[in-house]
Amino acid sequence: MRPSGRQPSDMRTVTFERKVSMKAEGSCLVTFGNTKVLCTASVETSVPGWLRGKGQGWVTAEYGMLPRATGSRNRREATAGKQTGRTQEIQRLIGRSLRAVVDLAALGEAQITLDCDVLEADGGTRTAAISGAYVALVDAVAWMEERKLTKGKVLKDSIAAVSCGIYRGTPVLDLDYLEDVEAETDANFVMTGSGKFVEIQGTAEGAPFDRSELEALMGLAEKGITELSAQQRAVLGQ
Amino acid sequence: MRPSGRQPSDMRTVTFERKVSMKAEGSCLVTFGNTKVLCTASVETSVPGWLRGKGQGWVTAEYGMLPRATGSRNRREATAGKQTGRTQEIQRLIGRSLRAVVDLAALGEAQITLDCDVLEADGGTRTAAISGAYVALVDAVAWMEERKLTKGKVLKDSIAAVSCGIYRGTPVLDLDYLEDVEAETDANFVMTGSGKFVEIQGTAEGAPFDRSELEALMGLAEKGITELSAQQRAVLGQ
Amino acid sequence: MRPSGRQPSDMRTVTFERKVSMKAEGSCLVTFGNTKVLCTASVETSVPGWLRGKGQGWVTAEYGMLPRATGSRNRREATAGKQTGRTQEIQRLIGRSLRAVVDLAALGEAQITLDCDVLEADGGTRTAAISGAYVALVDAVAWMEERKLTKGKVLKDSIAAVSCGIYRGTPVLDLDYLEDVEAETDANFVMTGSGKFVEIQGTAEGAPFDRSELEALMGLAEKGITELSAQQRAVLGQ
Amino acid sequence: MRPSGRQPSDMRTVTFERKVSMKAEGSCLVTFGNTKVLCTASVETSVPGWLRGKGQGWVTAEYGMLPRATGSRNRREATAGKQTGRTQEIQRLIGRSLRAVVDLAALGEAQITLDCDVLEADGGTRTAAISGAYVALVDAVAWMEERKLTKGKVLKDSIAAVSCGIYRGTPVLDLDYLEDVEAETDANFVMTGSGKFVEIQGTAEGAPFDRSELEALMGLAEKGITELSAQQRAVLGQ
Amino acid sequence: MRPSGRQPSDMRTVTFERKVSMKAEGSCLVTFGNTKVLCTASVETSVPGWLRGKGQGWVTAEYGMLPRATGSRNRREATAGKQTGRTQEIQRLIGRSLRAVVDLAALGEAQITLDCDVLEADGGTRTAAISGAYVALVDAVAWMEERKLTKGKVLKDSIAAVSCGIYRGTPVLDLDYLEDVEAETDANFVMTGSGKFVEIQGTAEGAPFDRSELEALMGLAEKGITELSAQQRAVLGQ
Amino acid sequence: MRPSGRQPSDMRTVTFERKVSMKAEGSCLVTFGNTKVLCTASVETSVPGWLRGKGQGWVTAEYGMLPRATGSRNRREATAGKQTGRTQEIQRLIGRSLRAVVDLAALGEAQITLDCDVLEADGGTRTAAISGAYVALVDAVAWMEERKLTKGKVLKDSIAAVSCGIYRGTPVLDLDYLEDVEAETDANFVMTGSGKFVEIQGTAEGAPFDRSELEALMGLAEKGITELSAQQRAVLGQ
C-alpha cells in the first residue's frame, strides 16, 4: 500500500556515518532512505551576549537545504536575503530538541552550533537532522572532554526524532516525500533514548484527527525511536 | 497553588467582542485574562499568484505584538527589518488552524487575511489569537455571503485553541505568563468545535514528559476547548 | 459643508484615556473622532550609544499602523521588511515634538520611548499621536519621579498637535479622512500649552497657498490646540 | 554677526550650471555657497504600476549624499542597506515640490526622475536640490517637447526653495552649516515664481517660536525666493 | 618544500563523481585534495525576464559554502541576510566561465543553474567548482537532448580551472589552503579543453609580480588544465 | 577603426584634478575621456574591529555610480537596499590595489577609506577610479604626515590601472563604452609606477583568447600605465 512497499510500521533504511567533516569537532552524515543530511557540530568558546557571565553554555542549531535537494530547484535563501518561516521553525525545533538532553551548566561558557544541511530531501529532513545532530553532538562533547573543557557530565540522555502520519487512512511510520504530500495527518515526535517525549507536533493536513489516531501514531513513534536510538548507540560504540 | 489562585482545570476569564473595527469585514477583540488580542479579517478578491486560476481561495494570517505589550519593551519588528522566527511560527500556526475548518473551494478566488495584533501579552497569545480570529472569520464570511461572493458553505466547523502545561508537577489549563515561564512542559492544542484535533504542539521546556502526562494535558485541553467553543457560539448568536 | 456636518472651526470629539496599558510606565488611548491611537511610554535606564556618558537622557518615538486600520488592508511593515518613508517621517516628527518640551538633562541617563500605534485611522493620526503621547509621557515622568530617577523638573510645557486645511476653498480645523484626501492645502501644527509653535508643516496638495490662507490656518490651529491643551490638563488632573 | 559675515537678509552666492551631464535629458549643478548638488532629470516612457492606463505621468525624486560630502565621513547608504529617515523625508519633499508646478496630464504616460546628489554639503542641501532640480526639469521637459512627447503645457510655474532660521536671536536667510547647527528655529520654504507657498516646514530646534518670528522668516523667504527665481529665469534664458 | 610534499607542478588528487544527486538533471561531486564541492545543474524551461522572447537561453551559477566547511565556523549567509562580496564574485566567475563554452541560442528558451556548494574547503574552491560544474552541465545538456529540448549543439568546448601562485618564491600549481594564505601571488586560470584562456585573475597578495613570473604561472596552469580536461573526458566517457 | 578615431595604442585624454573636496583629507576628480570619477580619501583614527590592537592600519574602498551616470538610468543602490555584485567586485579590487603600495604598519592604527563615485560613465570606471584614488591617497597620507600621524614611509610605490581589449580583432588600449560592449576580450591591469603587476583580470567576453593575444594586451597596458604614472607624478608635483 505504501509507495515504497514498506509495511506501516517499517522505517526506511537509516544510516549514520560519523566524522565525515575534516574540520568540525563533531559531524555525522545521516540518511533516512533517500533523505540525506550533513550535520556538523562546531564548538566555540564563547556564548551569546545574553548568556555571558552566567557560567553556562548554549546549544543552538541552523538548518539549510541545498537549492536542488528537491525535485524542482528552490531559491537559495542566501540569495533571497532571508530564511523562510519553515527554515526558522525547523532550526528552532532542532535546537530545543538537543538542549533537552544537555546540561548547559556542565558545558561551561561554550556554545555548540549544530549545522544541519540537507543534501537530498525525500521527506523527514527535520527528523533525520535531529537524529544525526545528536551523533555529531556526542563527538563534539567528547572533543571538549578530551580537552577538559567541560564541567561534569554534559549529556543527560540521547535524542532522536521520527515522523508518523495517517496515509490513506492508515497510520504509518517515517513518511517519505510521496506519503508526506498526501498524508491526512502528519506528526513529528522527538523522544529520548529512555522513551520520553521532548516534542510532539501533530498537524491535520486534511481531516482533523481524534485521540485514538494520535495514540496510534504515538505507538509507531515509540517503535521508530527505539530503533533509531539503538542505531545511534551502535554507531557511537556505546 | 497557581499564581492566579485558579484551580488546575480553570480557564481565565475569556471575552470575545465582535465588530470592533470600523473598517474590517470581520473583527474581534479577544481577551484571555490579561492577554488582549485584536483580530481583523480582511477580504480581498484576489489570491496569491500560485493559486490564480485554480478556482479556490486562501486564508492566511499575520501576527504582531505591540512593542510594549510585554513587561519590558520589545524591539518593533518593522524597525528591526524582519519578523522573528517566533512570530513566523505563530502566524503559520494561526493560518493552518483556520484553513482546517474552511472549504477553500467555496471561498471562490478570494483571500481572507487574519491580522492578530497583541495589545497586551500575559501568556497564551497564540491560542487567544486563533480563538478570536475564528470569530472575525465568521463575520467576514457572512459579509461575503451577503454579497453572494461565496460558492456554498465555507465553514466546516468552528475552531479554538488553548494551552496546557505541567506547572510545578501538576497539569494545568490555560497558562498565564507567570506559569508559562516556569512550566516544565507546555502544549498548545487547536481543536474543532466537534472535538477533533487540528494541531498539537507539545514541548518539554524542563524535563521530558511521558504518555500519561500528555494524556492529562489532552483531557484539560478538551475541557477548555469545549468552553471556548460554547462562548464562540454564544457571541456569534448561533 | 463638511462631510461630518461640523463647522469649519470645530474639532472632532476628542478623548484621552490614561493608564490603558498594564505594563507601560505611561499610556494613553487617544481618539480624534474615529481615529484611535494607542500610545505607550516605556522608560529604559540606558541611552543610545552616542549619548552615553553625557549625563542626559533621550526621548524618542516609533509609529505604526495596524494593517487593517484603514479602509483597505495595508501591507504590514514587519513583513515588508522596512518602515515606509511616511512612517519614518511621522515618528521623527513625534519624537522632535515631545523633545521640545523635555529638559533632557533632568531626565538623567534614561530614555523614554513613545510607541504610537494606530488602531483605527480616519485622518489626523500623527496629530492624535503627538497629543496622546504627551499624556503617556507625563505619566512616565511621574513614574520616574516617584522612584527619584529624575534630576529636577523634566517637563517644561505641554504639547499638542492638530491639522488644518483648505477644504473646498474654506479653511477648516481637524481634517478627517474624507476631507484630507480632497483638501487643497494640508497643514500640521504642533504647539505648546503656552501657545508657541514647535513645528509647522504646510503642504499645497492642490493649488499653492498664500500668506493670508496660511494665517487663517494658524488661527484655527491656535483654537484647536487651546482646546486640546485644556483636555490634556483635565485628564491629567492638573 | 553671521559666521560668513553676511547680512541677515543676504543669500550666499548661488550658481546654476545647466547641461552638465552628458547623458541625462536635463541636468543642473547648483551651488549655494559651498553646498554643491548635482541634479539630473531622467525621462522614462513608462509610469509606476499604480498609474498605468490613467493617461497621466509622474514626477519623482531621489536624494543622496556622497559619503564625504560632510566634515566627517558618513556611512554610504548603499552599504548600510537602506536610506535613512532623513534621506527619505528629503526626497519626498523634493518630489512633492516639483509636482506642484507640473501638469501631470500634460506629461502623458511618462515619468521624470530627479536625482539630486550632494557632492559637498554646507547647509541647505534640500533647498539647493529643489532649486536646481527645477532647472533640470525644465530642460527635460524641453527635450520631451522637441520629440512631441507632451500633451500641452507641462510647467505651470517655476519653483525654488530656501531655508531661514533664527540664529542668535536674529532671523536670517539661507543658513549655512555653522548657522544651522546653532539655530533656535529652522524653516524651509518652497515657493513658486509667482510668490505662493508650496511647502513650509518650520521646526523649533531650541526654543518654541511665535507668530511674529514666523512672519519675519516668511518675509526673508520671499526675498530669497524672488532672487532665486530671477536667477533660474536668467540661466534658462527666459 | 610544499606543505603537502608535492612537486611545484603537481596537482592534488582530483576526482569527479557524476550523477550524485537523485533529483538534478546533472550533478558532480568534485574533489581537489581535501576540497570537496557538490555541483548540481538544474534545467528550467523559462528564462530571466530580460531574455524573454529573444529565442535564447541562459546559464548561471550560484555558490555557497557550508558554515563549517572551514577551520572555524563561518556565519551562514542565509542568516546574515546576504551573500558576501566574495561569494558574489565567485558565482559571477563560475557563470561567465561556463557561458564561454555554451551556445546560448542552441539552448532555446531554457535556463541551466549551476549550484556549487562547498562541503569542505581546503583552497581552490572556485576552480574545483568550475571544473565540476562543467561535468554537471554536460549531463544536464544530455538530459535536454534526450528530450529534444535543444536546438543544435549546445557545448562548444570543455572548460576547467586551476589556481597557481608564487609560494615562498617558487611558482606552484593548485594551491591548497596552507599555501594560499601565504602565497605572494595568487592567480586563477579558466581555460578551455582546446587550451585557450577564458578568464585570468592574478593578484599580488604580497609583492607585485612581473611578466616572467606571470608566464611561469601560465605554464603551470596549462599543464594543470590539460590534466583536468583529460579527467573530465574520462569520467564523461568521451 | 575605433569609434573615437583613436589609434589602437592611444589612451583617451586623461586628467587628474587634486583637492576638489572642501572636506576630505585627500581628493581627486579623474577623467578618462568622458568617464568622470570623484575620489575622496577619508582618514579615520580607528581601525575595523578585527585589526584593533595589532598596531597597523587599513586602506579600504567603496565604489558607487550616480543613477544617471549612464545612458539609461540605473536603480539607486541605496533604494534597492544593497550593492550589486558588480559594485562589490569593483570596490574590493580598488581596495586591494591600493593596499598593494601601502605599508600598513607605517599607517599606525588608522584607516583610510577611498570613496570612488562615478559622476559620468563611458567605460573604464574602475581603472579611472584606481588611478584617481591613488592621487587622493597621496594627499591624505601627506595630511597625516603633517600631523605626525604616521610611523615612517607609508607609500612604497605608485599605482595606476588601465583596461585593454580585443576589439574587432585588434588589441586596443583604454576601451570606451562603445568598444567595451563589443570587445571579444576585456582585461584590466593594475600596475605599479615601477612597472610590476598588482592585478590582472582578463575575461573572454566573446571567443577565448590565447597567450599571444594576452601578451599583446600586456604590452598595451604597460604603455598606458607608463603614461598614467607620469601624469600622476606631474599632478602631484613629484
Side-chain angles (χ1 to χ4, degrees):
Chain A
M1 179 218 60
R2 301 180 73 174
S4 59
R6 282 187 282 155
Q7 292 301 311
S9 66
D10 283 354
M11 293 285 296
R12 292 176 281 182
T13 303
V14 171
T15 65
F16 295 97
E17 186 183 354
R18 281 166 74 194
K19 306 198 174 178
V20 294
S21 158
M22 201 172 58
K23 306 284 174 51
E25 285 76 27
S27 60
C28 177
L29 182 67
V30 57
T31 64
F32 276 36
N34 288 321
T35 288
K36 188 189 289 190
V37 185
L38 179 55
C39 308
T40 58
S42 297
V43 176
E44 288 163 295
T45 53
S46 69
V47 288
W50 53 272
L51 260 191
R52 237 161 259 159
K54 302 209 172 152
Q56 70 161 88
W58 192 241
V59 171
T60 188
E62 287 189 5
Y63 172 91
M65 196 184 267
L66 297 195
R68 196 56 197 281
T70 47
S72 60
R73 186 178 182 273
N74 285 299
R75 190 168 181 201
R76 187 178 289 269
E77 290 183 329
T79 312
K82 60 176 180 180
Q83 295 181 303
T84 62
R86 178 186 173 276
T87 291
Q88 290 189 60
E89 207 168 303
I90 293 175
Q91 67 192 13
R92 284 157 56 90
L93 170 65
I94 301 172
R96 275 200 312 274
S97 297
L98 291 165
R99 283 194 297 277
V101 293
V102 170
D103 178 342
L104 294 172
L107 264 187
E109 288 222 351
Q111 172 165 297
I112 302 180
T113 302
L114 282 312
D115 284 290
C116 302
D117 285 273
V118 178
L119 306 186
E120 307 256 354
D122 187 38
T125 64
R126 80 189 69 187
T127 52
I130 291 168
S131 305
Y134 169 71
V135 173
L137 176 64
V138 170
D139 277 335
V141 168
W143 182 94
M144 290 179 74
E145 286 169 347
E146 280 163 29
R147 282 154 190 79
K148 310 216 181 297
L149 296 171
T150 54
K151 305 180 173 174
K153 192 163 159 31
V154 170
L155 292 164
K156 302 184 288 188
D157 204 333
S158 71
I159 195 99
V162 76
S163 75
C164 304
I166 300 178
Y167 174 72
R168 302 195 175 178
T170 304
V172 298
L173 178 62
D174 187 25
L175 305 175
D176 60 26
Y177 178 74
L178 288 178
E179 292 167 335
D180 194 35
V181 292
E182 215 187 300
E184 292 103 61
T185 291
D186 178 14
N188 291 293
F189 296 86
V190 183
M191 296 179 72
T192 60
S194 60
K196 295 198 132 197
F197 294 99
V198 158
E199 188 98 22
I200 295 183
Q201 294 187 336
T203 300
E205 304 282 355
F209 54 93
D210 61 25
R211 210 154 154 168
S212 68
E213 287 167 315
L214 183 63
E215 278 163 14
L217 298 181
M218 280 192 220
L220 288 171
E222 285 169 345
K223 172 177 181 294
I225 298 286
T226 302
E227 293 174 22
L228 288 167
S229 300
Q231 274 192 272
Q232 289 173 328
R233 279 193 305 272
V235 73
L236 287 163
Q238 296 171 338
Chain B
M1 174 217 65
R2 302 179 72 173
S4 58
R6 283 187 281 154
Q7 292 300 311
S9 65
D10 282 355
M11 294 284 296
R12 291 175 283 182
T13 302
V14 171
T15 65
F16 295 96
E17 186 182 353
R18 280 165 75 193
K19 305 199 174 177
V20 294
S21 158
M22 201 171 57
K23 306 286 174 49
E25 285 75 28
S27 61
C28 178
L29 182 68
V30 57
T31 64
F32 275 36
N34 288 321
T35 288
K36 188 188 289 191
V37 185
L38 179 55
C39 307
T40 58
S42 298
V43 176
E44 288 164 295
T45 53
S46 69
V47 288
W50 53 272
L51 259 191
R52 238 160 258 160
K54 303 210 171 150
Q56 71 161 88
W58 192 241
V59 171
T60 188
E62 288 189 6
Y63 172 93
M65 197 184 266
L66 296 196
R68 196 55 196 281
T70 46
S72 60
R73 188 178 181 273
N74 285 299
R75 189 165 182 204
R76 187 178 289 268
E77 290 183 329
T79 312
K82 61 175 179 180
Q83 296 181 302
T84 62
R86 177 186 174 276
T87 291
Q88 291 189 60
E89 205 167 305
I90 293 175
Q91 67 191 13
R92 284 157 56 91
L93 170 65
I94 302 172
R96 275 200 312 273
S97 297
L98 291 165
R99 284 194 297 277
V101 293
V102 170
D103 178 340
L104 295 172
L107 264 187
E109 289 223 349
Q111 172 165 297
I112 302 181
T113 303
L114 281 312
D115 284 291
C116 301
D117 286 272
V118 179
L119 305 186
E120 306 256 354
D122 187 39
T125 64
R126 81 188 69 188
T127 54
I130 291 168
S131 305
Y134 169 71
V135 173
L137 176 64
V138 170
D139 277 336
V141 169
W143 182 94
M144 290 179 74
E145 285 169 346
E146 281 164 28
R147 283 154 189 78
K148 309 215 180 298
L149 296 170
T150 54
K151 304 179 174 176
K153 194 162 159 30
V154 170
L155 291 163
K156 302 184 288 190
D157 205 332
S158 71
I159 196 101
V162 77
S163 74
C164 303
I166 299 178
Y167 174 72
R168 303 196 175 177
T170 304
V172 298
L173 177 62
D174 187 26
L175 305 175
D176 60 27
Y177 178 74
L178 287 178
E179 292 167 336
D180 194 36
V181 292
E182 216 188 300
E184 293 102 61
T185 291
D186 178 13
N188 292 294
F189 296 86
V190 184
M191 296 180 72
T192 60
S194 60
K196 296 198 131 196
F197 294 99
V198 159
E199 189 98 22
I200 294 183
Q201 295 187 335
T203 300
E205 304 283 354
F209 54 94
D210 61 24
R211 209 154 155 168
S212 69
E213 286 167 315
L214 183 63
E215 278 163 14
L217 298 180
M218 279 192 223
L220 288 171
E222 285 168 345
K223 173 177 182 295
I225 297 285
T226 302
E227 292 173 21
L228 289 167
S229 300
Q231 273 191 272
Q232 289 174 328
R233 280 193 303 273
V235 74
L236 288 164
Q238 296 171 337
Chain C
M1 179 217 59
R2 302 180 73 173
S4 59
R6 282 186 282 156
Q7 292 301 310
S9 66
D10 284 354
M11 295 282 298
R12 291 176 281 181
T13 302
V14 171
T15 65
F16 295 97
E17 187 183 352
R18 281 166 73 194
K19 308 199 172 179
V20 293
S21 159
M22 202 171 58
K23 305 284 175 51
E25 286 75 27
S27 61
C28 178
L29 181 68
V30 57
T31 64
F32 276 35
N34 288 322
T35 288
K36 189 189 288 191
V37 185
L38 179 55
C39 307
T40 58
S42 298
V43 176
E44 288 163 295
T45 53
S46 69
V47 288
W50 53 272
L51 260 190
R52 238 160 260 159
K54 302 211 171 150
Q56 70 160 89
W58 192 241
V59 172
T60 189
E62 288 190 3
Y63 172 92
M65 196 183 266
L66 298 195
R68 196 55 197 281
T70 47
S72 61
R73 186 176 183 274
N74 285 298
R75 190 168 182 201
R76 186 178 290 267
E77 290 183 330
T79 313
K82 62 176 178 179
Q83 295 181 303
T84 63
R86 177 186 173 278
T87 291
Q88 291 190 60
E89 207 167 304
I90 293 174
Q91 67 191 13
R92 284 157 56 91
L93 171 66
I94 301 171
R96 276 200 311 275
S97 298
L98 291 165
R99 284 193 296 275
V101 294
V102 170
D103 178 341
L104 294 172
L107 264 188
E109 289 222 350
Q111 172 165 296
I112 303 180
T113 302
L114 282 312
D115 285 290
C116 301
D117 286 274
V118 179
L119 305 187
E120 306 255 354
D122 187 37
T125 64
R126 80 188 70 187
T127 53
I130 291 168
S131 305
Y134 169 72
V135 173
L137 176 64
V138 170
D139 277 336
V141 168
W143 182 93
M144 290 179 73
E145 285 169 346
E146 281 163 28
R147 281 153 191 78
K148 308 215 181 300
L149 296 171
T150 55
K151 305 179 174 175
K153 192 162 158 32
V154 170
L155 292 164
K156 301 184 289 189
D157 206 333
S158 71
I159 196 99
V162 77
S163 75
C164 303
I166 299 179
Y167 174 73
R168 302 197 175 176
T170 303
V172 298
L173 178 63
D174 187 26
L175 305 174
D176 60 27
Y177 178 73
L178 287 178
E179 293 167 335
D180 194 36
V181 292
E182 215 187 297
E184 293 102 62
T185 292
D186 178 13
N188 292 294
F189 296 86
V190 184
M191 297 180 71
T192 61
S194 60
K196 295 198 134 199
F197 294 99
V198 158
E199 189 98 21
I200 294 183
Q201 295 187 336
T203 301
E205 305 282 354
F209 53 92
D210 61 25
R211 209 154 154 169
S212 68
E213 287 168 314
L214 183 63
E215 278 162 14
L217 297 180
M218 280 192 220
L220 288 171
E222 285 168 344
K223 174 176 181 294
I225 298 286
T226 301
E227 292 173 21
L228 288 167
S229 300
Q231 274 191 271
Q232 288 174 327
R233 279 192 304 272
V235 74
L236 288 164
Q238 295 172 339
Chain D
M1 177 217 60
R2 302 180 73 174
S4 59
R6 283 186 282 156
Q7 291 302 310
S9 66
D10 283 356
M11 294 283 298
R12 290 175 283 182
T13 302
V14 171
T15 64
F16 295 97
E17 186 183 352
R18 280 166 74 195
K19 306 199 173 179
V20 294
S21 159
M22 201 170 57
K23 305 284 174 49
E25 285 75 28
S27 60
C28 178
L29 182 68
V30 57
T31 64
F32 275 36
N34 287 322
T35 288
K36 189 187 290 189
V37 185
L38 179 56
C39 307
T40 58
S42 298
V43 176
E44 288 163 295
T45 53
S46 70
V47 288
W50 52 274
L51 261 190
R52 238 161 260 160
K54 302 210 172 153
Q56 70 160 88
W58 192 242
V59 171
T60 189
E62 288 190 3
Y63 172 93
M65 197 184 265
L66 297 195
R68 196 54 197 281
T70 47
S72 60
R73 186 178 183 274
N74 285 299
R75 190 166 182 203
R76 186 179 290 269
E77 290 183 329
T79 313
K82 61 176 180 179
Q83 296 182 302
T84 63
R86 178 186 172 276
T87 291
Q88 290 190 59
E89 205 167 305
I90 293 175
Q91 68 192 12
R92 283 158 56 92
L93 171 65
I94 301 171
R96 275 200 311 273
S97 297
L98 291 165
R99 283 194 297 276
V101 294
V102 170
D103 178 342
L104 294 172
L107 264 186
E109 289 222 350
Q111 172 165 296
I112 303 181
T113 302
L114 282 312
D115 285 290
C116 300
D117 285 274
V118 179
L119 306 186
E120 306 256 353
D122 187 38
T125 63
R126 80 188 70 186
T127 54
I130 292 167
S131 305
Y134 169 72
V135 174
L137 176 64
V138 170
D139 278 336
V141 168
W143 182 94
M144 290 179 74
E145 285 169 348
E146 281 164 29
R147 281 153 190 79
K148 308 215 180 299
L149 296 171
T150 54
K151 305 181 174 173
K153 194 163 158 28
V154 170
L155 291 163
K156 301 184 288 188
D157 206 333
S158 70
I159 197 100
V162 77
S163 75
C164 302
I166 298 178
Y167 174 72
R168 302 196 175 176
T170 303
V172 298
L173 178 62
D174 186 25
L175 305 174
D176 60 25
Y177 178 73
L178 288 178
E179 292 167 336
D180 193 36
V181 292
E182 216 186 298
E184 293 103 60
T185 292
D186 178 13
N188 292 294
F189 295 86
V190 184
M191 296 179 73
T192 61
S194 61
K196 295 198 132 196
F197 295 98
V198 159
E199 189 99 20
I200 294 183
Q201 295 188 334
T203 300
E205 304 282 355
F209 53 93
D210 61 24
R211 209 153 153 170
S212 68
E213 287 168 314
L214 182 63
E215 277 163 14
L217 298 180
M218 280 192 220
L220 287 171
E222 284 169 346
K223 176 179 178 293
I225 297 287
T226 301
E227 292 174 21
L228 289 167
S229 299
Q231 272 191 273
Q232 288 174 327
R233 280 192 304 272
V235 74
L236 288 164
Q238 295 172 336
Chain E
M1 178 218 59
R2 302 180 73 174
S4 58
R6 283 186 282 156
Q7 291 302 309
S9 66
D10 283 355
M11 294 285 296
R12 290 175 282 181
T13 302
V14 171
T15 64
F16 294 98
E17 186 183 353
R18 279 166 76 194
K19 306 196 175 180
V20 294
S21 158
M22 200 171 58
K23 305 284 175 51
E25 286 77 27
S27 61
C28 179
L29 182 68
V30 57
T31 64
F32 275 35
N34 288 322
T35 288
K36 187 188 292 190
V37 185
L38 178 56
C39 307
T40 59
S42 298
V43 176
E44 287 163 296
T45 54
S46 69
V47 288
W50 53 272
L51 260 191
R52 237 160 260 160
K54 302 211 171 149
Q56 70 160 87
W58 192 242
V59 171
T60 189
E62 288 189 4
Y63 172 92
M65 196 183 265
L66 297 195
R68 195 56 197 281
T70 47
S72 61
R73 187 178 182 273
N74 285 299
R75 190 167 180 201
R76 185 179 291 267
E77 290 183 329
T79 312
K82 61 176 181 180
Q83 295 181 304
T84 63
R86 176 185 175 277
T87 291
Q88 290 189 60
E89 207 168 303
I90 293 174
Q91 67 191 14
R92 284 157 55 90
L93 170 65
I94 301 171
R96 275 200 312 274
S97 298
L98 291 165
R99 283 192 298 276
V101 294
V102 170
D103 178 341
L104 294 172
L107 264 187
E109 289 222 349
Q111 172 165 297
I112 302 180
T113 301
L114 282 312
D115 284 290
C116 301
D117 286 273
V118 178
L119 305 186
E120 306 256 354
D122 187 38
T125 63
R126 80 188 71 188
T127 53
I130 292 168
S131 306
Y134 169 72
V135 173
L137 177 64
V138 170
D139 278 335
V141 168
W143 182 94
M144 290 178 73
E145 285 170 348
E146 280 164 29
R147 281 154 191 78
K148 309 215 181 298
L149 295 171
T150 55
K151 304 180 175 176
K153 193 163 159 29
V154 170
L155 291 163
K156 302 184 287 188
D157 206 333
S158 71
I159 196 98
V162 78
S163 75
C164 303
I166 301 178
Y167 174 73
R168 302 196 175 178
T170 303
V172 299
L173 178 63
D174 187 26
L175 305 175
D176 60 27
Y177 179 73
L178 287 178
E179 292 168 336
D180 194 36
V181 292
E182 215 187 299
E184 292 102 61
T185 291
D186 177 13
N188 292 294
F189 296 86
V190 184
M191 296 180 71
T192 60
S194 60
K196 296 199 130 197
F197 294 99
V198 158
E199 188 98 23
I200 294 184
Q201 294 188 336
T203 300
E205 304 281 355
F209 53 93
D210 61 24
R211 211 153 151 168
S212 68
E213 287 169 313
L214 183 63
E215 278 163 12
L217 298 181
M218 279 192 223
L220 288 170
E222 285 169 344
K223 174 176 181 296
I225 298 286
T226 302
E227 293 173 21
L228 288 167
S229 301
Q231 275 192 270
Q232 288 173 327
R233 279 193 305 273
V235 73
L236 287 164
Q238 296 172 335
Chain F
M1 177 218 63
R2 302 180 72 174
S4 59
R6 284 185 282 153
Q7 292 301 310
S9 67
D10 283 354
M11 294 283 297
R12 291 175 283 182
T13 303
V14 171
T15 65
F16 296 96
E17 186 183 351
R18 280 166 75 193
K19 307 199 174 177
V20 294
S21 158
M22 201 171 57
K23 305 284 173 51
E25 285 75 28
S27 61
C28 178
L29 182 67
V30 58
T31 64
F32 276 35
N34 288 322
T35 287
K36 188 189 289 190
V37 185
L38 179 56
C39 307
T40 58
S42 298
V43 176
E44 288 163 295
T45 52
S46 69
V47 288
W50 52 273
L51 261 189
R52 236 160 261 159
K54 304 210 171 152
Q56 70 160 88
W58 192 242
V59 171
T60 188
E62 288 189 3
Y63 172 93
M65 196 183 268
L66 297 195
R68 196 54 197 282
T70 46
S72 61
R73 186 178 183 273
N74 285 299
R75 189 166 183 202
R76 186 178 290 268
E77 290 183 329
T79 312
K82 61 176 181 181
Q83 295 181 303
T84 62
R86 178 186 173 275
T87 291
Q88 290 190 61
E89 205 167 306
I90 293 175
Q91 67 191 12
R92 284 158 55 91
L93 170 65
I94 300 171
R96 276 201 312 273
S97 297
L98 290 165
R99 284 194 298 275
V101 294
V102 170
D103 178 341
L104 293 173
L107 263 188
E109 288 222 351
Q111 171 164 296
I112 302 181
T113 302
L114 281 312
D115 284 291
C116 300
D117 285 274
V118 179
L119 306 186
E120 306 257 354
D122 187 37
T125 64
R126 80 188 70 187
T127 54
I130 292 167
S131 305
Y134 169 72
V135 174
L137 177 64
V138 170
D139 277 336
V141 168
W143 182 94
M144 290 179 73
E145 285 169 348
E146 281 163 29
R147 282 154 189 78
K148 309 216 179 298
L149 296 171
T150 54
K151 305 180 172 174
K153 193 161 158 31
V154 170
L155 292 163
K156 301 184 288 189
D157 205 333
S158 71
I159 196 101
V162 78
S163 75
C164 303
I166 299 178
Y167 174 71
R168 302 195 175 177
T170 303
V172 299
L173 178 62
D174 187 26
L175 305 175
D176 60 27
Y177 178 74
L178 287 178
E179 293 168 335
D180 193 36
V181 292
E182 217 187 298
E184 293 101 62
T185 291
D186 178 14
N188 291 295
F189 296 86
V190 184
M191 297 180 71
T192 60
S194 60
K196 296 198 132 197
F197 293 99
V198 159
E199 188 99 21
I200 295 183
Q201 294 188 336
T203 301
E205 304 281 355
F209 53 93
D210 61 25
R211 209 153 154 169
S212 69
E213 287 168 314
L214 184 63
E215 277 163 14
L217 298 180
M218 279 193 221
L220 288 171
E222 283 169 345
K223 174 177 181 295
I225 297 285
T226 302
E227 292 174 22
L228 288 167
S229 299
Q231 273 191 271
Q232 288 174 327
R233 280 192 305 273
V235 75
L236 287 164
Q238 294 172 338

